[in-house]
Structures are given as C-alpha cells and as structure tokens.
Amino acid sequence: MPSTLFSYLSIIATSILAVNALPGLPDKIYGVNLGSWLLIEPWMLPTEWVSMGGERCDWDCSACIANEYNFAQAYPDTVDQKFKEHWQTWLTQDDVNTLKAAGINSVRIPLGYWIVEPLVNRTSEFHAKGGLLELRRGLKQLKDAGIPVVLDHHALPGVASPNQMFAGRCTGDVQFYTPHNYHRALVWTAVMTALSHIHPDFSIVASIQALNEPIMDANQTPGLGEFNKNFAQTIRAVEIALGIPVPGISIGISANLASAANVTVAVSQAATLSSIFNPEVRQALKDAIPMILYAANQLGMNTIFGLDGLRNVLRKRQPLVVNFMNAQWQYNNPSNPADGAIGPTAYDNHLYYSFGGVADANEEAYLKHLCNLNRIEEAAAIGNSPLWFGEWSLATQFAATDDFLRKWADAQKLMYGKGAGYFFWNFKIEEGTDTTRQWSYLEGLKRGYLTQDPSQFHDPHIRLKEEGGLIW
Ligand SMILES: *[C@@H]1O[C@H](CO)[C@@H](O)[C@H](O)[C@H]1NC(C)=O
Ligand SMILES: *[C@@H]1O[C@H](CO)[C@@H](O)[C@H](O)[C@H]1NC(C)=O
C-alpha cells in the first residue's frame, strides 16, 4: 500500500533526522577532552608545572602559584614563552595520530576567555598571550585527521566556579554571574563563532559550549537562563551575518548581507536586526567587531567577502551545534537552556564517581548505580536532547583492581554511549603521577582498561537486565 509505505518511509526519515541532528559531529561521539592544553590544570602535570616555575599547594590552589592566573601574575615577562612551550609539547602531531589510531572521533577543547586577548583587562587580570595561534595549529592537525571539535568555554571572565584550577584562577570571589561578565562571554562567543566559520583551519569546529560546569546551586547563578538564551542568539546572529542558513530563523535580509564587503560590515548589519536579536546580543556583536579584526590580524586571515572567495565558503557552511550543560546539572529551580534553543543544539552532562555523593565507595554500588542511570532520559523529558557526557573518568574512591577498571570502563562506555556519546577526561595525564592510571585515556588504553576500538567492549555480552544490574 503506497500510503502505508509512505508513512513508514517518513517515520524512517524522521528517525534518521533525529539521530543525525548534530551537523559536523559523528552519530556516536567517542571523544576525549584535550584538557590542560590551552588551559592548564597543574594537578594534571605536577612535575612539568613545577619545572615551569609553578608551585604545589594541594589543599588550596589559591595559596600559591598553582593556577594560570597566579603564574602569569608572578612571571609577567616570561609567561607567554613558558606557556607556548607547554602548548607545543602537551598536544603534538604524534598525539593527534595516536588519538586517530585509537578511534577517537571528536574532541572537546577547554578554553579560557583570555584566548580572545582584547577581552582581558590587563590591569587586574593576568593571563598568557598567544594561545589563539596554538589553537589554530591544533585545529589544523585535527582537521587533517578528520576529528571534529567542540570548543568549550571552560574558564569564564570573572571566574565561574570557586577555588578551581579549571576556572583559570583559584579564588572564592566568583564574579562571572554579573552583567559585565555575561556580556564579555557573549563577545567571546561572537568572536569564536566568526573564526570557526571564516578561518579554514577552524572549519573543523562543530560546536561551541556556553559555559562549563556552572555552580550547581541555581540560587548562586542569577541571570544564567538569560545568558543561555543570549548565547544561542549570539551564535545565530553571527551566522546570519555571514550568510549561513540557520533552521528556525527566516529573515529577508540575506540579499542585503550578501552584498556586505567584509566581516565588519556583515556583523554590523546583523547588529541592527532589532526585530530578531535583543539589545544585549546586538551590543555583543558590535563589541566583537574590533576583536574579530584583532584575531584576524593575529591569524593573518581573510575577512573580505569576494563572490568567489569567502562568500562561497560560507554558503556551504552548516550552523554550529549550540552546546549547554543540561538543566539537571543544577538544583534549586534551574532555568532550562532548551527554552532559548535555536537550530542544532546539544546538551552536556558530567559524571564523576570519585568525588563522592554519587554511590557508596565499592564496586557493586558503583555498577548498580550506573546500571540504573537515567540522566539521558531525565534530560530528554525536558527537551535537553541529544545529550552527551562531556566529562567522565575511571577514577574511584577506592583502590580499584585492573579487573574492575576494565568492567568500569565497559559499563560507563555502555551507559554514556546510549545518548550522543561521550568525551573522556582526559586524553592524557603526565606520566607517573597518582592520577595517571585512572584519568588518562592513553594510559587506560596501554593498560588495557579501554578497548583499542572505542565502539567495542571487553565483554561482548555486556547488556542490561530490565531490573538493573549488569550481566557480565
Ligand atoms: C579594569 O580593571 C580595573 C581594576 O579592577 C578597573 O578599575 C577598570 O575599570 C577596568 N577596566 C575596564 C575597561 O573594565
Ligand atoms: C570593510 O568595509 C568597510 C566599508 O566598506 C571599510 O571601511 C573597511 O575598511 C573594510 N575592512 C576591511 C578589513 O577591509
């Protein structure tokens, strides 16, 4: 019956669209984080950090030179060179080759706001310069390897998480959740979106993440819901400016934009679209223009639209995947990032058992908790789908045997792989540290905890019982 056949086919088509909704990313992400590359967390490279001139103060990373900010403040004359040496050696062509050979099909790159250098207030904020050039170098290598990238805004202006190395500065004075710093994060977003579309080496960027791990108590993050909406709008506004079609936005200005001579003109025109974009977003676009030009100059990049040049490239670009931590990351009546979603959007959850509060500290409790994990379903119920697990590791609160770590890796891969996939934290850890064995993907591969092909499991019969509990 043709009509039955037709509806059958359209159901297939719909479900194909549903799994394939993330342009530029594989259907199933088998990914790793490139942590401590352009944003150093000294615990991951304790020996190198001390040899660079850093210090260790393990119980309070604000008490010594144990974060990027304190390092840059202590060594203003040498920080750029010291960090450049680190950037060039922490992620190399060999590493990219190894990841490729290990079947890694995506990476998440944690970044600080300071990679957009004009955003930094140099009288009160201390950070290395030159990271953008190394990002470009790494993106080129990843592009050549065919490994797409999520750019993760991990260390936000004003600091978004108290006393954490990953925030770029260890301090209890958290100032991100304020209008001034939300605005700077939007400007960052506009710049990174523009670069992702107009620089050939950045074309491997498939997604940008708004904010890594906001404070979990939503009472302490006022304005975050509004920021998330503005984040999506900012990405889409830049894309509209560049002439990239975005599902969900139809405007009659494309002819106008198509005649724009260069990026400055195009972005300025988008900044006038008051019927689509709110004043905060339009102001972020205006403030981003000189910074896009600054970055373009730094990268020696074309910002002129010739009909046979950049304009042609842009016409073929797909919109970026907008990425948020899912709403359930927070408690106390959090806002829902799905409320402001426009075009392709993905959600990110992180799960570490090693910090406590998840399951009792023993093998059975870990596996049982994991088997009953329903985070993907819970997120989907409020529209936070597709969801990936952007961070996880093999770390445990107890001394784990090699045998358990093989099971633990299998079980986590199985459960996190039920959604859009996952990114392990981290691709590497300095060799010979206390954390290398359970936090380094490459070490886990060497030790045989992780399978050489990430889509496989040690136990091919791994499956779930209805009532929960794994069968091995
Ligand atoms: C930079 O920081 C200093 C010190 O906090 C402050 O007085 C100044 O207003 C800031 N400049 C800008 C442009 O925000
Ligand atoms: C962009 O176009 C404007 C207006 O035509 C012009 O003033 C400006 O110099 C151009 N910028 C570049 C980088 O070519």
Side-chain angles (χ1 to χ4, degrees):
M1 302 289 280
S3 62
T4 313
L5 183 62
F6 178 76
S7 57
Y8 180 62
L9 285 176
S10 55
I11 288 166
I12 292 177
T14 311
S15 54
I16 288 171
L17 278 179
V19 295
N20 224 350
L22 301 178
L25 288 167
D27 289 345
K28 195 66 80 184
I29 292 170
Y30 302 117
V32 292
N33 283 276
L34 302 186
S36 268
W37 179 37
L38 296 164
L39 167 51
I40 301 177
E41 299 181 39
W43 68 271
M44 295 163 72
L45 43 133
T47 308
E48 183 190 337
W49 182 253
V50 169
S51 76
M52 288 168 73
E55 297 170 340
R56 289 187 66 165
C57 38
D58 290 348
W59 297 109
D60 177 3
C61 61
S62 71
C64 71
I65 304 174
N67 60 82
E68 287 211 4
Y69 182 105
N70 287 9
F71 191 105
Q73 191 171 25
Y75 303 108
D77 299 330
T78 52
V79 60
D80 295 353
Q81 184 53 35
K82 290 275 181 202
F83 274 50
K84 186 173 174 185
E85 286 162 18
H86 168 76
W87 298 330
Q88 294 186 334
T89 50
W90 187 251
L91 177 77
T92 65
Q93 182 66 52
D94 272 356
D95 293 321
V96 174
N97 296 347
T98 305
L99 294 175
K100 180 75 182 171
I104 292 301
N105 66 11
S106 310
V107 294
R108 178 173 178 261
I109 304 183
L111 296 173
Y113 74 95
W114 53 87
I115 202 156
V116 178
E117 292 173 8
L119 276 175
V120 179
N121 180 343
R122 306 261 168 211
T123 64
S124 54
E125 297 175 334
F126 306 100
H127 290 288
K129 288 184 186 166
L132 192 65
L133 296 166
E134 283 301 313
L135 175 61
R136 189 242 332 244
R137 183 268 301 173
L139 291 177
K140 169 86 167 71
Q141 292 169 327
L142 291 161
K143 182 182 168 184
D144 291 346
I147 300 176
V149 171
V150 178
L151 296 181
D152 150 33
H153 203 178
H154 203 87
L156 286 291
V159 175
S161 195
N163 298 313
Q164 292 285 354
M165 291 174 178
F166 73 68
R169 178 185 185 187
C170 290
T171 173
D173 183 20
V174 172
Q175 291 295 332
F176 171 65
Y177 307 95
T178 57
H180 175 63
N181 286 317
Y182 280 138
H183 186 74
R184 290 203 287 169
L186 294 179
V187 174
W188 184 94
T189 303
V191 175
M192 297 314 285
T193 303
L195 296 182
S196 299
H197 286 300
I198 65 186
H199 193 288
D201 298 338
F202 279 66
S203 63
I204 197 67
V205 173
S207 177
I208 300 183
Q209 180 163 24
L211 159 60
N212 175 67
E213 297 192 359
I215 295 176
M216 289 177 146
D217 180 354
N219 288 336
Q220 292 181 43
T221 64
L224 182 57
E226 209 48 39
F227 168 72
N228 283 338
K229 287 181 190 169
N230 290 340
F231 174 79
Q233 283 205 15
T234 299
I235 289 183
R236 299 316 181 203
V238 172
E239 291 178 331
I240 292 294
L242 297 175
I244 298 160
V246 178
I249 300 186
S250 57
I251 48 169
I253 58 149
S254 48
N256 204 9
L257 288 175
S259 67
N262 59 40
V263 166
T264 307
V265 177
V267 176
S268 321
Q269 285 182 0
T272 67
L273 296 174
S274 56
S275 60
I276 310 180
F277 303 117
N278 70 44
E280 168 64 358
V281 169
R282 286 184 282 125
Q283 190 58 46
L285 296 195
K286 287 182 202 149
D287 294 341
I289 291 170
M291 302 198 198
I292 294 170
L293 295 180
Y294 178 99
N297 187 44
Q298 216 179 349
L299 298 171
M301 181 172 104
N302 178 22
T303 56
I304 312 298
F305 293 169
L307 276 179
D308 50 354
L310 195 48
R311 180 60 71 199
N312 250 354
V313 173
L314 291 169
R315 230 193 302 272
K316 293 177 204 135
R317 290 282 301 166
Q318 290 183 294
L320 295 174
V321 174
V322 170
N323 182 221
F324 300 107
M325 298 292 295
N326 66 316
Q328 287 97 343
W329 172 259
Q330 292 193 297
Y331 59 89
N332 275 339
N333 196 22
S335 55
N336 185 349
D339 291 347
I342 315 166
T345 306
Y347 301 85
D348 178 16
N349 191 255
H350 298 173
L351 184 48
Y352 292 116
Y353 284 71
S354 55
F355 300 127
V358 179
D360 289 347
N362 64 70
E363 294 184 359
E364 198 189 323
Y366 270 36
L367 289 174
K368 191 162 184 188
H369 183 275
L370 189 58
C371 292
N372 290 303
L373 195 72
N374 58 356
R375 291 190 176 195
I376 295 170
E377 294 82 352
E378 275 179 1
I382 56 165
N384 289 197
S385 178
L387 178 127
W388 61 59
F389 282 81
E391 294 189 19
W392 62 284
S393 79
L394 295 179
T396 49
Q397 297 154 286
F398 51 87
T401 63
D402 289 342
D403 184 50
F404 178 70
L405 290 183
R406 276 189 291 274
K407 285 184 189 167
W408 186 227
D410 262 10
Q412 291 192 88
K413 283 161 56 186
L414 178 75
M415 294 307 290
Y416 306 157
K418 288 169 120 193
Y422 55 76
F423 299 88
F424 190 88
W425 188 280
N426 188 42
F427 81 116
K428 67 154 70 157
I429 300 284
E430 185 177 86
E431 278 177 31
T433 81
D434 296 344
T435 55
T436 314
R437 177 170 173 252
Q438 286 172 267
W439 290 88
S440 164
Y441 194 89
L442 296 178
E443 179 74 11
L445 268 181
K446 260 191 233 162
R447 290 172 176 259
Y449 307 147
L450 295 150
T451 52
Q452 186 61 37
D453 173 350
S455 70
Q456 299 300 306
F457 299 93
H458 290 294
D459 184 342
H461 304 300
I462 183 171
R463 63 189 192 278
L464 297 173
K465 279 194 283 190
E466 286 301 310
E467 69 272 26
L470 289 172
I471 303 177
W472 299 94

